[in-house]
Amino acid sequence: QGGSIRIPSSFCGAYGMKPTHGLVPYTGVMPIEATIDHTGPITASVADNALFLEVLAGSDGRDPRQYAPKTDNYTDALGKGVKGIKIGILTEGFDVPNMDPAVADKVHAAAERFRGLGAEVSEVSLPEHRIAGAAWNPITLEGFTAQMMHGNGMGFNWKGQYDIGLLEAHSGWRERADDLSATMKICMMVGQWGLSHYRGRYYAKSQNIALSIKPAYDALLSKYDILLMPTLPITAQPLPGKDASITEIVARAFEMTNTTSPFDITGHPAMSIPCGMIDGLPVGLMLVAGDYRESTIYQAASAYEAETDWRRN
């Protein structure tokens, strides 16, 4: 309680892979918004992560988001090193309002470590990255209000397996609305405002923006094998106390989304790997690659893991 417990920094002390959108079937997982929902492994090592993804990845015939996913033997990428791999340090990935300079320094130091391991490392810029983060908000808030709340998680208008039990259980939120968290209530109100007052216009515009932004990332990723940036702009923060203001609660809930949200809407694979410690708390760097190029990420992550003790950095 109070300042004694900290929010996990999106498991920055572990290895977490957000695969290409649709690579892992979402069947049986609680949906939020189908176009941004991803599921993937979080493990204590790169090797475990790659092996886990080999088990998870591939079409199950029940999830229409899968678009004929391309799988790979991800464990084959381990131990190959990074010599010749081109890594772009994405300038905009560091340019967020609450970026802790100490976090940025740890991630830049990790980039230099990649250079020392033989990778070709250089600074790159993609202005569209900022727009992607902004587009995430209407897609997430209006989309989850429509699918997760009005649609009881399952929503409508898609062919696939509907989890009836989950739908029934989630529909009970209407009788227990007072039990919903403050952040959930605010997200619902903002989402419903967009649906009621603007008829979903900004959700639609944001989805169109996502369509135009993705090719910009793809073009950059045709020149670089991997983009590198912080997973989160800050380390884990104290949980708000039981008497905290709604302002503090909401600010704490959303202060870590700026760096990861763009790849929710573009669907590119992204992996967090730990790269150091600040005051006893882990720092994560994020590696992003082109669609279905998880093996490239594993190749780089395993090389870094093998040569670096992040707990001592």
Side-chain angles (χ1 to χ4, degrees):
Q1 294 180 346
S4 63
I5 300 176
R6 290 177 181 264
I7 299 171
S9 298
S10 282
F11 304 94
C12 272
Y15 297 86
M17 171 66 82
K18 181 193 74 62
T20 304
H21 185 255
L23 177 63
V24 174
Y26 211 74
T27 308
V29 184
M30 175 66 204
I32 297 175
E33 203 282 339
T35 68
I36 63 170
D37 287 338
H38 294 72
T39 188
I42 299 174
T43 60
S45 71
V46 177
D48 285 351
N49 202 282
L51 180 60
F52 200 175
L53 188 62
E54 285 186 8
V55 175
L56 292 174
S59 176
D60 71 348
R62 297 170 181 267
D63 180 358
R65 311 165 320 125
Q66 292 205 272
Y67 332 120
K70 302 173 184 176
T71 61
D72 200 356
N73 295 321
Y74 304 110
T75 52
D76 290 349
L78 307 178
K80 290 185 174 180
V82 292
K83 187 174 182 179
I85 284 184
K86 299 184 69 174
I87 297 176
I89 305 171
L90 187 64
T91 300
E92 288 79 9
F94 295 78
D95 187 16
V96 296
N98 61 335
M99 177 58 64
D100 182 343
V103 169
D105 288 345
K106 291 288 185 183
V107 176
H108 278 295
E112 288 303 309
R113 183 61 178 158
F114 275 113
R115 192 194 307 276
L117 294 173
E120 300 176 22
V121 180
S122 56
E123 296 273 350
V124 298
S125 177
L126 188 70
E128 289 87 348
H129 185 74
R130 297 190 185 95
I131 304 172
W136 178 86
N137 289 294
I139 292 173
T140 300
L141 299 179
E142 294 181 33
F144 111 92
T145 301
Q147 179 171 355
M148 183 176 170
M149 307 314 294
H150 291 310
N152 302 316
M154 296 298 111
F156 302 91
N157 305 319
W158 57 276
K159 289 185 180 293
Q161 180 170 311
Y162 287 69
D163 190 325
I164 305 303
L166 183 57
L167 185 153
E168 292 286 355
H170 187 59
S171 67
W173 73 264
R174 293 166 178 79
E175 286 70 50
R176 301 182 57 190
D178 288 344
D179 295 335
L180 296 174
S181 68
T183 49
M184 173 69 84
K185 292 174 183 176
I186 284 185
C187 287
M188 289 172 63
M189 287 190 284
V190 174
Q192 189 59 49
W193 177 268
L195 295 172
S196 298
H197 290 266
Y198 297 99
R199 303 162 298 283
R201 171 184 175 86
Y202 290 104
Y203 175 91
K205 288 189 69 173
S206 295
Q207 290 286 16
N208 288 343
I209 287 171
L211 285 176
S212 65
I213 285 175
K214 184 175 175 62
Y217 284 99
D218 290 339
L220 187 58
L221 286 165
S222 70
K223 301 174 183 177
Y224 292 86
D225 300 299
I226 287 174
L227 301 180
L228 182 151
M229 66 206 79
T231 304
L232 300 173
I234 54 178
T235 57
Q237 301 297 300
L239 285 170
K242 62 180 180 179
D243 297 323
S245 68
I246 188 67
T247 301
E248 180 184 353
I249 292 170
V250 173
R252 188 58 44 79
F254 289 99
E255 65 189 357
M256 294 189 178
T257 62
N258 288 336
T259 47
T260 56
S261 58
F263 304 107
D264 280 343
I265 69 166
T266 68
H268 290 100
M271 186 177 192
S272 178
I273 68 173
C275 67
M277 302 281 282
I278 297 175
D279 297 330
L281 297 168
V283 175
L285 68 85
M286 185 163 57
L287 303 177
V288 181
D291 287 349
Y292 304 115
R293 295 189 63 187
E294 284 79 5
S295 286
T296 303
I297 294 176
Y298 284 132
Q299 182 178 345
S302 68
Y304 185 85
E305 178 189 40
E307 299 294 332
T308 308
D309 184 354
W310 63 267
R311 292 176 180 84
R312 296 180 181 273
N313 283 0

